[in-house]
Amino acid sequence: MEYFLTDEQKMIIELAHKIAVEKIAPVTEKYDESGEFPWDIVKVMSDADLFGLYIPEAYGGMGGGVMELVIAVEELSRICGGISLSLAATALGTFPILLFGTEEQKKKYLPPLAKGTKLAAFGLTEANAGSDASGIETTAKKDGDYYILNGTKQWITNGGEADTYTIIAMTDKKKGARGATAFILEKGMPGFSFGKKENKMGIRASATRELVFSDCKVHKNQILGREGMGFIVAMKTLDQSRPGVAAQALGIAQGAFDKAIEYARQRVQFGKPIISFQAVSHMLADMATQTEAARALVYECSRLIDSGAKDVSKLSAMAKVFASDVAMKVTIDAVQVFGGYGYMKEYPVEKMMRDAKITQIYEGTNQIQRNVIAQELIKEQASKK
Amino acid sequence: MNIVVCIKQVPGTTDVKISEKTNTLVREGVESIINPFDVYAIEEAIRIKEKVGGKVTILSMGPPQAKEAIKEAIAMGADEGILLSDRAFAGSDTWATGYTLSMGIKKISSFDLIICGKQAIDGDTAQVGPGVAEALGLPFVAYVRKVEEIKEGYIRCERMMEEGYEVIEMSLPALITVVKEINEPRLPSLKGMMRAKKAEIATWTAQDLSAEPANIGLTGSPTQVVKIFSPPARPGGEMILGEIGEQAEKLVARLRELKIV
Ligand SMILES: Cc1cc2nc3c(=O)[nH]c(=O)nc-3n(C[C@H](O)[C@H](O)[C@H](O)COP(=O)(O)OP(=O)(O)OC[C@H]3O[C@@H](n4cnc5c(N)ncnc54)[C@H](O)[C@@H]3O)c2cc1C
Ligand SMILES: Cc1cc2nc3c(=O)[nH]c(=O)nc-3n(C[C@H](O)[C@H](O)[C@H](O)COP(=O)(O)OP(=O)(O)OC[C@H]3O[C@@H](n4cnc5c(N)ncnc54)[C@H](O)[C@@H]3O)c2cc1C
């Protein structure tokens, strides 16, 4: 399909494709097995300028937007949805600084993130606060010019590997949703340590880890936005970053389809390639259709965000829900097309099926996304009367 | 340190066809790539530049579309490129190619080091690098697997041998040809690709080079290609089976029969 990409966007795709095929493909299995963090590939992506795609040139980036990030994440995820997450999750941790940082904060933190010499992470979730972020229990108590942080964040992508962290903590429990504040933290600060690294079903090349704060002293200059704006920072960040997860899902779906159609043409049963059976070819037709529809929605949403539109929650949620549901369905079908081979680790599609599942869960589960879409629909209806 | 890297655009497939009329490669419809060994030459030049500063100039002789290969090198980090392109260059053998490239390098005039890949995967002669050095009257080392030290007027490198390696010191300006053991080439960067897209690649003709007409193209090529063909596959050998003693007897009998002994 023709998406009217600019020459520069076509270049990004070409470059990300080269990296995925030449550098990532040979190591996906290794990292999926070991669960180690793929620093060698991060270096390749950094040398190629991919970490700076969506960061303004003034801070050392390439000056693109969400669309530029999304097409790169999609292309990398076609080969490995775990390794590509080092980039997408760094964007998740960087958006709060881009959106709410002061000039000073931007000058300090963005250049190494744009170069990819440092990674970022975003810490909202806790053991008792997942979908219901308002339940967070990490506290930040004011003490002169400082805040003292105590608590534990759970399942933080890039945890332990990143240098720059955006953390949401409660500065005033009594104020409820208006009592949370966003802070920029740096690895190595006294009182900031890392807990358990998770052993996961999929995206095993991505680090998912606990962040532990015990009397961690943070200067007030590290606040993003103002005290009490923590949930606004988080929600606006997630609106921007959801297309990134959607792109990860889209790439996984496309990658699984690529493998499935190639296999269906060469696998012979009953004396014919299995693609000649309508039961198989219709499955492939649906996979291709769903993937293309997801792409159209993800690109449209990314372009809307880049146009500077204010209200992007609905489309952003739609893109995330749709692309991730497609990724799950397409990868399950890809395993089906491969038959028994699809179930084996020697073949690539079982990993894709495991990797796809997370996209329906994180950055807001698909149930929560549907809640968001429904709320927006209700608002739209109400404003018509 | 000014470095010139000579690169060749070659067909990116092992399934090459040869025209029966001209006895040369059929290039139409075949995807072109930078000769793989030349990519190591480009990488080494960029590494030297990153270490000691300077400029990397890419030089290629070929049809206008070879500009694409030069741009790929710029995307990796080379500074500029020059294409030697003229109908008069067509049909050059290794000698004429060496001469033509040397004339291009003379015109560039300021250079300390010339790097070539050890050979091109289409012709496989490994002659052009040394040929350029000879035409320029420069010292050269072929099959370099490591540049140990390089500074103003001096290079020390390792030449790969069948077994082991030699350490060679040489004064600059000079030429080296490199093997793939020397480094791991980088991928292009996005900034590099954007620079490459805008880059103007100068094209120099035979006239621009003040090349001697008798030395270029088909006329300047002492090699005459009479015929190119794929040699027939070697027929399978004859297996002699049985106990050792029995085998020896059968072998001797067979050799006698063939009047070899
Ligand atoms: C690999 C991985 C990486 C992650 N990375 C990060 C990260 O970098 N930063 C970060 O902050 N968090 C991260 N998370 C956390 C992730 O965002 C949460 O897991 C997610 O928001 C869901 O929260 P939960 O797991 O506590 O599920 P719960 O909230 O307990 O949900 C359980 C189930 O109940 C459903 N549910 C809950 N409430 C409702 C409702 N109101 N209506 C309908 N259904 C509902 C959910 O949809 C889900 O199906 C990560 C998680 C994983 C697994
Ligand atoms: C864990 C595991 C345990 C197993 N255990 C045993 C065992 O104990 N004993 C044993 O004998 N086998 C066993 N098998 C093999 C299993 O029965 C086969 O994998 C299964 O029959 C499918 O065959 P296939 O994998 O060759 O897929 P294929 O036959 O190649 O099928 C590939 C795809 O094409 C479709 N397809 C093929 N032909 C047609 C058609 N005519 N019309 C429409 N669609 C078609 C299939 O539905 C599938 O989606 C096992 C397999 C696994 C993975």
Side-chain angles (χ1 to χ4, degrees):
Chain A
M1 228 167 101
E2 174 59 63
Y3 289 104
F4 301 99
L5 300 176
T6 64
D7 284 349
E8 198 177 303
Q9 288 166 344
K10 286 179 189 157
M11 260 182 227
I12 294 169
I13 292 174
E14 185 191 329
L15 182 57
H17 182 75
K18 229 174 149 71
I19 292 173
V21 171
E22 291 179 25
K23 304 288 178 181
I24 301 182
V27 298
T28 49
E29 208 182 313
K30 175 183 110 181
Y31 285 116
D32 182 50
E33 285 275 310
S34 72
E36 274 172 84
F37 195 76
W39 275 111
D40 55 339
I41 305 298
V42 168
K43 171 88 170 61
V44 170
M45 296 197 287
S46 138
D47 286 343
D49 302 322
L50 295 191
F51 280 95
L53 286 174
Y54 58 96
I55 296 175
E57 284 168 290
Y59 307 109
M62 301 299 295
V66 172
M67 182 66 184
E68 277 71 20
L69 172 68
V70 151
I71 53 179
V73 171
E74 174 190 352
E75 207 55 41
L76 298 169
S77 302
R78 273 172 81 167
I79 301 295
C80 182
I83 292 178
S84 66
L85 188 56
S86 58
L87 171 60
T90 290
L92 171 65
T94 304
F95 281 131
I97 304 175
L98 269 176
L99 295 172
F100 294 95
T102 61
E103 191 53 31
E104 213 170 307
Q105 288 169 336
K106 287 181 183 172
K107 277 202 183 119
K108 178 168 177 195
Y109 290 106
L110 294 179
L113 295 173
K115 276 214 77 142
T117 46
K118 288 184 176 173
L119 302 184
F122 177 74
L124 175 62
T125 305
E126 297 178 6
N128 295 323
S131 298
D132 183 8
S134 70
I136 60 171
E137 291 159 0
T138 295
T139 54
K141 227 177 123 194
K142 196 160 181 174
D143 180 15
D145 280 347
Y146 289 86
Y147 288 80
I148 312 293
L149 266 68
N150 278 293
T152 300
K153 294 286 169 188
Q154 170 175 281
W155 302 340
I156 306 309
T157 303
N158 284 349
E161 311 297 335
D163 277 280
T164 308
Y165 294 79
T166 304
I167 302 299
I168 313 293
M170 296 307 293
T171 34
D172 191 347
K173 231 172 159 124
K174 284 175 297 202
K175 288 193 183 153
R178 292 216 177 82
T181 303
F183 295 90
I184 309 175
L185 268 75
E186 293 170 31
K187 182 177 176 172
M189 280 181 160
F192 176 16
S193 61
F194 302 105
K196 187 170 83 173
K197 188 175 167 181
E198 304 294 341
N199 187 6
K200 303 190 294 291
M201 171 197 280
I203 55 160
R204 293 174 52 80
S206 173
T208 311
R209 205 158 166 193
E210 273 178 356
L211 314 181
V212 183
F213 309 104
S214 54
D215 289 334
C216 178
K217 198 168 159 184
V218 184
H219 195 270
K220 67 174 187 210
N221 287 347
Q222 299 298 98
I223 288 180
L224 275 169
R226 286 190 315 278
E227 189 182 311
M229 272 179 70
F231 285 125
I232 296 174
V233 171
M235 293 312 132
K236 292 284 172 201
T237 294
L238 291 170
D239 280 349
Q240 294 265 322
S241 70
R242 264 181 217 118
V245 177
Q248 180 195 23
L250 169 61
I252 294 171
Q254 183 66 51
F257 171 78
D258 295 342
K259 298 290 179 199
I261 189 149
E262 188 191 328
Y263 183 80
R265 287 184 58 197
Q266 77 191 30
R267 172 67 169 172
V268 174
Q269 289 290 281
F270 304 99
K272 291 182 208 156
I274 58 169
I275 199 169
S276 65
F277 304 125
Q278 196 178 62
V280 173
S281 66
H282 278 191
M283 198 155 40
L284 289 164
D286 283 343
M287 291 159 78
T289 307
Q290 288 152 1
T291 305
E292 201 61 63
R295 182 172 293 115
L297 190 52
V298 174
Y299 287 6
E300 174 58 21
C301 169
S302 305
R303 285 171 165 161
L304 181 77
I305 293 174
D306 289 338
S307 75
K310 272 220 176 80
D311 236 350
V312 297
S313 299
K314 184 178 80 176
L315 202 59
S316 171
M318 283 175 164
K320 198 263 180 186
V321 162
F322 191 78
S324 60
D325 284 352
V326 162
M328 201 64 244
K329 174 151 194 320
V330 168
T331 53
I332 287 174
D333 288 349
V335 172
Q336 191 64 24
V337 169
F338 270 73
Y341 294 97
Y343 201 72
M344 302 302 161
K345 283 199 189 271
E346 264 168 79
Y347 289 78
V349 286
E350 66 83 30
K351 171 183 179 293
M352 292 169 163
M353 183 174 146
R354 288 184 286 112
D355 286 350
K357 186 63 207 176
I358 191 61
T359 62
Q360 294 180 306
I361 297 173
Y362 63 11
E363 293 198 30
T365 66
N366 281 6
Q367 286 76 24
I368 296 301
Q369 303 306 319
R370 288 186 167 91
N371 289 351
V372 170
I373 298 164
Q375 275 161 15
E376 294 296 321
L377 294 176
I378 292 164
K379 260 200 261 171
E380 281 168 20
Q381 282 304 311
S383 68
K384 275 183 188 158
K385 287 183 188 148
Chain B
M1 185 79 45
N2 288 327
I3 307 169
V4 177
V5 184
C6 299
I7 69 168
K8 183 181 188 184
Q9 195 180 41
V10 296
T13 160
T14 46
D15 181 29
V16 289
K17 292 190 181 62
I18 292 159
S19 156
E20 292 190 354
K21 256 190 274 164
T22 60
N23 272 337
T24 52
L25 294 174
V26 178
R27 292 180 190 275
E28 284 78 39
V30 179
E31 186 211 11
S32 294
I33 58 167
I34 299 178
N35 172 44
F37 291 107
D38 300 347
V39 180
Y40 297 91
I42 298 165
E43 174 66 29
E44 198 58 26
I46 297 169
R47 288 187 187 193
I48 293 171
K49 179 185 91 163
E50 283 170 350
K51 211 165 359 167
V52 302
K55 193 169 98 177
V56 176
T57 305
I58 304 297
L59 182 67
S60 184
M61 181 182 89
Q65 62 264 31
K67 277 188 184 175
E68 284 312 308
I70 296 176
K71 289 196 166 203
E72 267 181 62
I74 292 176
M76 281 174 72
D79 296 281
E80 54 188 54
I82 296 154
L83 178 68
L84 309 181
S85 195
D86 195 318
R87 281 181 185 282
F89 297 148
S92 295
D93 69 357
T94 54
W95 192 90
T97 303
Y99 169 78
T100 309
L101 289 172
S102 77
M103 293 305 282
I105 293 168
K106 275 186 191 159
K107 191 169 155 70
I108 292 170
S109 84
S110 144
F111 59 89
D112 303 285
L113 180 65
I114 302 160
I115 311 183
C116 302
K118 73 158 181 169
Q119 66 196 52
I121 55 161
D122 51 357
D124 273 334
T125 68
Q127 289 171 2
V128 169
V132 169
E134 286 299 326
L136 290 167
L138 291 180
F140 73 89
V141 179
Y143 303 112
V144 170
R145 63 162 217 184
K146 186 175 180 186
V147 173
E148 288 186 352
E149 195 189 341
I150 184 160
K151 59 186 183 195
E152 198 64 42
Y154 172 85
I155 185 170
R156 187 173 70 245
C157 48
E158 293 177 5
R159 167 162 57 194
M160 191 156 89
M161 310 293 286
E162 298 236 326
E163 282 173 56
Y165 63 95
E166 292 176 340
V167 177
I168 300 175
E169 293 180 312
M170 177 165 66
S171 62
L172 296 180
L175 180 144
I176 60 174
T177 77
V178 299
V179 292
K180 65 180 191 324
E181 286 74 11
I182 194 164
N183 57 42
E184 195 190 326
R186 72 194 66 194
L187 293 175
S189 70
L190 193 57
K191 282 184 189 143
M193 286 169 87
M194 284 160 72
R195 219 161 46 76
K197 184 167 178 275
K198 287 191 215 120
E200 293 282 350
I201 310 298
T203 304
W204 292 348
T205 61
Q207 207 174 12
D208 294 327
L209 299 182
S210 317
E212 191 62 54
N215 289 349
I216 59 172
L218 206 51
T219 339
S221 297
T223 320
Q224 296 299 325
V225 180
V226 181
K227 189 178 175 198
I228 295 184
F229 59 94
S230 311
R234 259 203 282 177
E238 196 178 322
M239 294 297 283
I240 297 175
L241 303 172
E243 295 294 315
I244 301 276
E246 213 178 311
Q247 282 186 26
E249 261 172 47
K250 279 189 198 164
L251 176 63
V252 172
R254 188 85 179 91
L255 290 175
R256 286 224 171 95
E257 191 187 315
L258 293 169
K259 300 205 162 45
I260 294 171
V261 293

